[in-house]
Amino acid sequence: MSQPDKPADQPAKKPKKDEEEDALIFTPISIARARHASAHGPSIVDKSKSPKKEQKPGKSKSKTGKPVTPAASDNSLFSGTNGCLLASFLVAAFVVGGILGGMAGGGLLLWANGSGGLVFAGDTPTPTLTPSPTPAPAETSTPTPTPEPVPTISIEDVIAGVIPSVVTVINQQHNDYSGFSEERVVGSGVIIDSRGYIATNNHVVDVPQDLSVILPDGRELEAELVAANPAEDLAILKIDIADLPVIKWGDSSQVRPGQIVYAIGSPLGDFPSSVSFGIVSGLNRALEIDKFVIDGLIQTDAAINRGSSGGPLINHEGEVIGINTFIIRESEERGIAEGIAFAIPSQTAKNLLIPWIAAYTGESVPIPASEETE
């Protein structure tokens, strides 16, 4: 006899064992435990509460009695609704982050490009050449060049340059008062003009008769008396020859006592071109010669002998600073003296001799007459 059918709306009553399994699976705690167990294995609590039951392979049944296949994704963090939400959140975060990052990066690029701080490969500006300042040349200590010593001409060379202009003057006199006799007066002279004009002392050519000049090379030439002044003991002779070496005038106003000087002449007429030296012993000396007083003389201790009168007194540069004129050997009142000689200053000699030459050659400077200056 068949049993009456149960109402359709009443579910079939599950066995107690199945209910416990359903409660164990679908409660939140069981879900968490199941996920933990799938990731790390069963916990110690689960092991201690109940022994692990071996689940037979098979399909579980739902409350309706239908078999339920457990989803493989139930044990994953991205399974079900939670996985969809998390994925959506990550996608949205990436999109928003990309947009914000692009805006920030674009703004930074624009700012950098506008300020010139960033240069792109496709838009390389032409570099402006800024002239670098030329460094000032370093000051170098230039050593002071040592001046080369100026070669000094030796006194020997100086005197050698003066000797060709110093001559010997001869005044050959004839005396017929008490029979035939001759007297030879010898002195010195100096060439002051290349046209043959020679300066000497007046007392050498006083009472002239046969005048002649012996040049340093030995030639003897007749001489003519051009002018003379016994008050200054100066005279000029002229020989008929040109292109003669001449002396160089010095400044007698610069002469000082103690200065070294040299005298050149023909002592005794037998030793032409003799040289002696000494110092300037004094200045502005006065001396009486043949009733004439000559002042302003230069005193020297250079040896001047008979025959040296009319020769030059020169300085260390070879310049004529005086015309040798007189020596003192002895005095009736004071006795014998040595090393006392005198020379006419070059300034006094020039003031007389140069105008005489100019007048003799037809120039406008008159020749002073000896009578007018007595």
Side-chain angles (χ1 to χ4, degrees), residues 288-339:
E288 183 179 352
I289 301 176
D290 295 335
K291 300 179 181 181
F292 294 100
V293 177
I294 303 174
D295 57 7
L297 298 175
I298 299 173
Q299 180 184 341
T300 178
D301 66 350
I304 298 177
N305 300 283
R306 290 185 181 275
S308 297
S309 297
L313 184 71
I314 65 173
N315 58 20
H316 67 281
E317 294 180 354
E319 299 172 338
V320 175
I321 58 173
I323 302 295
N324 301 323
T325 185
F326 198 75
I327 59 174
I328 296 178
R329 291 295 186 189
E330 59 182 347
S331 172
E332 295 178 357
E333 299 177 357
R334 297 179 178 86
I336 299 175
E338 292 183 359

Side-chain angles (χ1 to χ4, degrees), residues 17 27 34 42 80 221 223 229 236 265 295 308 321 335-336:
K17 185 177 180 180
T27 60
L221 303 171
N229 187 343
I236 278 191
D295 57 7
S308 297
I321 58 173
I336 299 175

Side-chain angles (χ1 to χ4, degrees), residues 15-27 53:
K16 185 177 181 179
K17 185 177 180 180
D18 293 338
E19 290 179 358
E20 291 179 358
E21 291 179 357
D22 292 340
L24 182 61
I25 292 175
F26 294 104
T27 60
K53 295 182 180 180

Side-chain angles (χ1 to χ4, degrees), residues 32-43:
R33 289 179 177 175
R35 292 179 177 174
H36 183 274
S38 63
H40 305 286
S43 64

Side-chain angles (χ1 to χ4, degrees), residues 4 12 41 43 86-87 92 105 119-120 172 199 207 215 218 230 235 254 274-275 300 326 341:
S43 64
L86 182 59
V119 178
F120 294 98
Q172 189 73 40
V207 189
L215 299 178
Q254 302 299 318
S274 294
V275 181
T300 178
F326 198 75

Side-chain angles (χ1 to χ4, degrees), residues 27-318:
T27 60
I29 295 176
S30 62
I31 294 173
R33 289 179 177 175
R35 292 179 177 174
H36 183 274
S38 63
H40 305 286
S43 64
I44 300 174
V45 177
D46 294 337
K47 290 179 179 180
S48 61
K49 283 185 178 182
S50 58
K52 186 176 180 181
K53 295 182 180 180
E54 294 181 0
Q55 187 175 357
K56 296 181 180 180
K59 297 181 181 180
S60 61
K61 295 181 180 180
S62 63
K63 292 181 179 182
T64 58
K66 295 180 180 181
V68 177
T69 303
S73 61
D74 287 346
N75 297 331
S76 175
L77 182 62
F78 298 97
S79 63
T81 304
N82 292 334
C84 292
L85 291 176
L86 182 59
S88 300
F89 175 76
L90 293 177
V91 171
F94 279 116
V95 172
V96 174
I99 294 173
L100 293 178
M103 294 176 62
L108 181 62
L109 292 177
L110 291 176
W111 172 83
N113 192 27
S115 61
L118 186 64
V119 178
F120 294 98
D123 189 15
T124 304
T126 302
T128 303
L129 297 178
T130 303
S132 59
T134 303
E139 295 184 1
T140 57
S141 57
T142 303
T144 303
T146 304
E148 296 182 0
V150 179
T152 303
I153 302 177
S154 65
I155 190 61
E156 294 86 353
D157 293 335
V158 171
I159 293 175
V162 176
I163 286 178
S165 62
V166 181
V167 300
T168 301
V169 178
I170 299 176
N171 182 10
Q172 189 73 40
Q173 296 178 341
H174 305 282
N175 188 357
D176 294 331
Y177 293 109
S178 59
F180 181 80
S181 66
E182 291 186 357
E183 184 178 358
R184 185 171 181 258
V185 179
V186 180
S188 299
V190 57
I191 302 171
I192 62 174
D193 191 298
S194 62
R195 293 172 293 180
Y197 294 93
I198 299 170
T200 188
N201 289 136
N202 178 75
H203 71 265
V204 175
V205 295
D206 190 24
V207 189
Q209 291 189 11
D210 294 335
L211 298 176
S212 62
V213 171
I214 300 176
L215 299 178
D217 59 6
R219 289 179 294 170
E220 185 174 357
L221 303 171
E222 291 185 1
E224 174 188 359
L225 179 62
V226 174
N229 187 343
E232 299 290 347
D233 197 24
L234 288 172
I236 278 191
L237 303 178
K238 172 72 169 64
I239 58 176
D240 191 14
I241 192 173
D243 298 328
L244 295 174
V246 299
I247 54 90
K248 181 180 179 182
W249 290 106
D251 187 358
S252 58
S253 65
Q254 302 299 318
V255 175
R256 302 177 62 186
Q259 178 178 337
I260 297 177
V261 290
Y262 301 86
I264 304 176
S266 299
L268 306 178
D270 296 326
F271 305 98
S273 304
S274 294
V275 181
S276 61
F277 81 99
I279 63 171
V280 174
S281 303
L283 301 172
N284 297 319
R285 303 303 193 200
L287 185 67
E288 183 179 352
I289 301 176
D290 295 335
K291 300 179 181 181
F292 294 100
V293 177
I294 303 174
D295 57 7
L297 298 175
I298 299 173
Q299 180 184 341
T300 178
D301 66 350
I304 298 177
N305 300 283
R306 290 185 181 275
S308 297
S309 297
L313 184 71
I314 65 173
N315 58 20
H316 67 281
E317 294 180 354

